[in-house]
Amino acid sequence: MEICPYLEYSLQILGRKWNGLIIHYLSLCPEGSAHFSAIKRDLTDITPRALSLKLSELEEFGLIEKKVTTKPTVSISYELTEKGNSLTKALEPIQQWAHDYKIDKKKGVYEHE
């Protein structure tokens, strides 16, 4: 049996720490984008350096786009690309699965009610 290389690569991207959470976070932003400081504030466990690296990585994968505005002051925000938005649909069943089985990283709980 041969493993689909597209699936394998996709799971490698999502399996990297923080990638899925950042994509999910950006999908929930009411404005459709978020500034670095807002992402860092809400994803409390990530270091600024790790966040910077992950945002660059996701940008290289074509999942997010960095938007720079210069008027009235310089402002940088991040938003999902069309490719990134389409990935959020794949994350929804994973989120449901996590709820169904009460997946909790702190407690190590993996039980289905």
Side-chain angles (χ1 to χ4, degrees):
M1 173 174 31
E2 186 177 328
I3 302 293
C4 173
Y6 300 116
L7 176 62
E8 181 181 7
Y9 185 63
S10 299
L11 290 174
Q12 286 176 4
I13 292 170
L14 282 177
R16 293 179 183 172
K17 191 167 185 175
W18 299 111
N19 286 359
L21 282 176
I22 292 169
I23 291 165
H24 181 67
Y25 178 86
L26 290 173
S27 75
L28 298 176
C29 291
E31 301 84 28
S33 66
H35 294 277
F36 183 96
S37 59
I39 302 169
K40 173 62 189 103
R41 179 190 67 232
D42 294 335
L43 300 180
T44 56
D45 292 341
I46 193 168
T47 66
R49 176 166 166 66
L51 178 57
S52 180
L53 291 171
K54 290 299 170 180
L55 290 170
S56 295
E57 183 178 279
L58 291 170
E59 191 176 9
E60 287 177 25
F61 291 141
L63 298 172
I64 67 170
E65 186 175 6
K66 182 178 182 177
K67 296 278 190 177
V68 180
T69 56
T70 56
K71 294 183 182 178
T73 60
V74 175
S75 176
I76 299 172
S77 62
Y78 298 88
E79 64 184 45
L80 292 173
T81 62
E82 182 180 337
K83 186 177 174 182
N85 267 315
S86 67
L87 184 56
T88 62
K89 291 172 184 59
L91 293 176
E92 289 170 4
I94 296 170
Q95 182 179 10
Q96 185 60 53
W97 175 82
H99 282 281
D100 290 348
Y101 287 91
K102 308 296 184 224
I103 304 301
D104 185 327
K105 72 174 185 171
K106 292 178 183 167
K107 294 179 185 175
V109 175
Y110 306 102
E111 297 178 11
H112 185 59
E113 289 183 350

